[in-house]
């Protein structure tokens, strides 16, 4: 069985699973996979100067059998002269408290325990005993449940523990600790039958976990019910699924790099989000035009990335929610929203997509803060004009070349840049009139009722009548704080610009 040792040695070298001299925490349940893993690593340790630490978690699900497993692992580790940490978790209680299945709660508890143990013994690598059969079952499970590339690539030989999105990370294993830990699977290319043969050849007597045959668990149903049916169609189905995972893992890396490039093109910081106020905490804004210019697959990927960044512990994102949101964002109009997952929504803004908590108004953080008008006010252009409630309006005329290339993002919501030739003079500020219509920028020249626009941007009803409108002989050039008109917007051909700014409080000259 030295052939198996050589295969694991080559596999570890190919994927750089460890470095000579490092400490590795080995997760050992007592079953054949983990026992074989520990035995192999113990044989490799002298030539690589590896320091091994055994970790076993009693999930509290099988009474005396689980207690016996823990004692067996501790004794086996002692027989190899290795230190061991044995822990215990109330998985049923965790599942009930967090609303998780027993399988998921056990997985969360196990990886948190391994992370805590690694932190305590100053290890940066955790080894677990998943094998090639486990890989095939994982790919099939993700396919049956519905998954993209990330799921269909199955498990990886080496991955950062923070990708496992552990909810409720304990104080002893903070997020930065998980990010620094690597999870490795040295047996991932080895079939279960070869592992069992190795145990027999080396006199290893693994523990038997009856829960592995309990078909109330989804994975076990796949293993004992679905997989035998698929083997009737292709006896090599396990190898096919494992090879598929390896191919898709490479494809996923390419797609991931493309998504991150698209993220850099579309994600906007708070200061660059073109909304009337800076985004609230826990929001992400994407440049609408840049996002819509992406291929469909990257549009999906960028939205999913935004969700993951806002809900780091979320493992599975419902495909239907993302797909509905993608098509709304591709085809919808300003103010429309779609529910995502975990209390999030996406909202179409003037120039951005907002992904954030449901019910948040992107249009106005404080709808009371505005210079509400009872009648028209003639504006000095250029110059400064006093407005009600200690507001003032300052207008400057500048050359188009003097504006920065990102002038729209550089200004807050109460500063507007208008084409001075298109707008002309005189300029007046007034409240709305019955029948007012407006041509919002970004709406392809579409004209709409002003009241309809105010409703779309969630402007409160009691603010609408006195809301300040900048008008000229051509009509409404700017709905203050919200949107400039398409025809009044600055273009490449613009020569001169009116920079209109509203401020509250004493003027700079006063």
């Amino acid at each position: 069985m030295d052939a198996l040792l050589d295969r694991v040695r080559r596999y570890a070298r190919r994927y750089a699973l460890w470095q000579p001299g490092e400490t590795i925490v080995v997760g050992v349940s007592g079953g054949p996979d983990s026992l074989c893993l520990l035995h192999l690593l113990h044989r490799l340790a002298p030539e690589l100067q590896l320091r091994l630490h055994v970790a076993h978690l009693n999930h509290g699900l099988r009474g005396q059998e689980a207690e016996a497993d823990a004692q067996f692992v501790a004794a086996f580790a002692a027989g190899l002269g290795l230190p061991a940490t044995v822990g215990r978790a109330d998985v049923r209680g965790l599942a009930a408290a967090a609303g998780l299945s027993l399988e998921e709660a056990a997985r969360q508890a196990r990886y948190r325990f391994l992370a805590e143990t690694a932190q305590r013994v100053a290890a940066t690598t955790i080894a677990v005993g998943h094998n090639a059969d486990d890989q095939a079952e994982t790919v099939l499970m993700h396919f049956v449940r519905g998954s993209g590339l990330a799921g269909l690539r199955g498990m990886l030989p080496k991955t950062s523990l923070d990708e496992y999105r552990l909810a409720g990370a304990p104080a002893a294993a903070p997020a930065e600790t998980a990010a620094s830990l690597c999870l490795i699977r040295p047996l991932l290319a080895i079939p279960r039958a070869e592992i069992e043969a190795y145990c027999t050849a080396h006199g290893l007597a693994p523990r038997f976990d009856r829960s592995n045959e309990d078909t109330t668990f989804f994975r076990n149903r796949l293993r004992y019910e679905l997989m035998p049916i698929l083997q009737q169609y292709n006896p090599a189905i396990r190898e096919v699924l494992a090879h598929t995972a390896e191919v898709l893992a490479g494809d996923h890396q390419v797609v991931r790099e493309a998504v991150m490039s698209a993220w850099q093109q579309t994600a906007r910081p708070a200061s660059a989000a073109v909304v009337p106020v800076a985004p609230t905490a826990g929001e992400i804004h994407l440049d609408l035009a840049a996002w819509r210019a992406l291929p469909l697959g990257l549009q999906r990927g960028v939205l999913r990335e935004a969700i993951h960044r806002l809900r780091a512990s979320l493992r599975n994102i419902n495909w239907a929610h993302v797909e509905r949101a993608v098509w709304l964002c591709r085809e919808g109009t300003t103010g429309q929203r779609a529910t995502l997952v975990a209390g999030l929504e996406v909202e179409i803004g003037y120039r951005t997509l907002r992904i954030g908590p449901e019910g948040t108004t992107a249009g106005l953080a404080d709808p009371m803060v505005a210079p509400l008008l009872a009648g028209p006010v003639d504006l000095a252009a250029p110059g400064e004009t006093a407005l009600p409630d200690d507001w003032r309006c300052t207008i400057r005329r500048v050359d188009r070349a003097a504006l920065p290339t990102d002038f729209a993002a550089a200004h807050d919501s109460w500063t507007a840049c208008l084409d001075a030739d298109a707008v002309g003079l005189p300029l007046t500020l007034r409240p709305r009139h019955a029948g007012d219509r407006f041509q919002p920028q970004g709406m392809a020249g579409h004209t709409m009722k002003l009241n309809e626009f105010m409703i779309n941007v969630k402007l409160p009803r009691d603010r609408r009548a006195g809301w300040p409108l900048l008008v000229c002989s051509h009509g409404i050039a700017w709905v203050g704080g919200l949107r400039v008109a398409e025809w009044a917007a600055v273009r490449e051909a613009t020569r001169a610009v009116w920079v209109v700014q509203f401020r509250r409080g004493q003027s700079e000259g006063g």
Side-chain angles (χ1 to χ4, degrees), residues 21-82:
E22 74 171 293
T23 299
I24 299 177
V25 168
V26 188
V28 180
S29 67
D33 301 332
S34 60
L35 214 59
C36 173
L37 173 65
L38 180 59
H39 193 269
L40 286 167
L41 292 181
H42 185 255
R43 294 176 65 192
L44 288 169
E47 67 180 80
L48 297 171
Q49 295 86 49
L50 298 178
R51 296 182 296 275
L52 306 180
H53 188 101
V54 176
H56 173 87
L57 181 66
N58 181 345
H59 296 87
L61 296 174
R62 295 184 297 112
Q64 289 302 314
E65 286 187 12
E67 295 290 347
D69 288 348
Q71 294 172 10
F72 170 81
V73 170
F76 189 86
L80 296 177
L82 298 175

Side-chain angles (χ1 to χ4, degrees), residues 229-253:
I229 294 174
L230 295 177
Q231 285 176 311
Q232 296 175 19
Y233 291 87
N234 185 349
I237 186 64
R238 293 179 183 273
E239 292 87 344
V240 168
L241 289 170
H243 293 160
T244 297
E246 190 169 358
V247 170
L248 293 183
D251 292 348
H252 178 270
Q253 184 176 356

